[in-house]
Amino acid sequence: MQKLFIHPVSANIKWSEIEALFVELGAEISEREGSRIGVKLFGDRRVFHRPHPSPNTDKGAIASIRDWLKTNGIKP
């Protein structure tokens, strides 16, 4: 979680780490078409795209996830 809140946004966060954090927070993960996954957390559903071929998540997605977590009271 610390990596998500670093400024400036890190470009070296593996998607698998973010997905593991979602699960730790109690999310339900569902597979979608292609490399998309559904995440049900905080009574909300979001769809994310697993990055490929690189395992690292892009900065825009990290900023969006960080904002979603903050909005729901999750901070490091």
Side-chain angles (χ1 to χ4, degrees):
M1 184 179 319
Q2 297 291 341
K3 289 181 185 179
L4 286 174
F5 288 88
I6 293 172
H7 288 285
V9 176
S10 174
N12 294 319
I13 301 175
K14 292 187 179 0
W15 177 256
S16 60
E17 294 172 342
I18 294 172
E19 207 168 319
L21 174 63
F22 288 155
V23 170
E24 187 175 320
L25 292 172
E28 294 176 26
I29 306 286
S30 59
E31 297 295 326
R32 301 286 184 117
E33 289 184 25
S35 58
R36 291 176 183 81
I37 65 161
V39 178
K40 183 179 178 188
L41 184 62
F42 312 123
D44 193 8
R45 290 185 186 269
R46 300 277 173 116
V47 176
F48 296 99
H49 186 267
R50 283 188 181 118
H52 59 81
S54 169
N56 294 333
T57 309
D58 71 64
K59 291 180 179 186
I62 291 169
S64 175
I65 291 165
R66 179 173 58 201
D67 291 343
W68 188 38
L69 293 175
K70 279 184 188 178
T71 298
N72 288 282
I74 305 297
K75 298 175 186 167

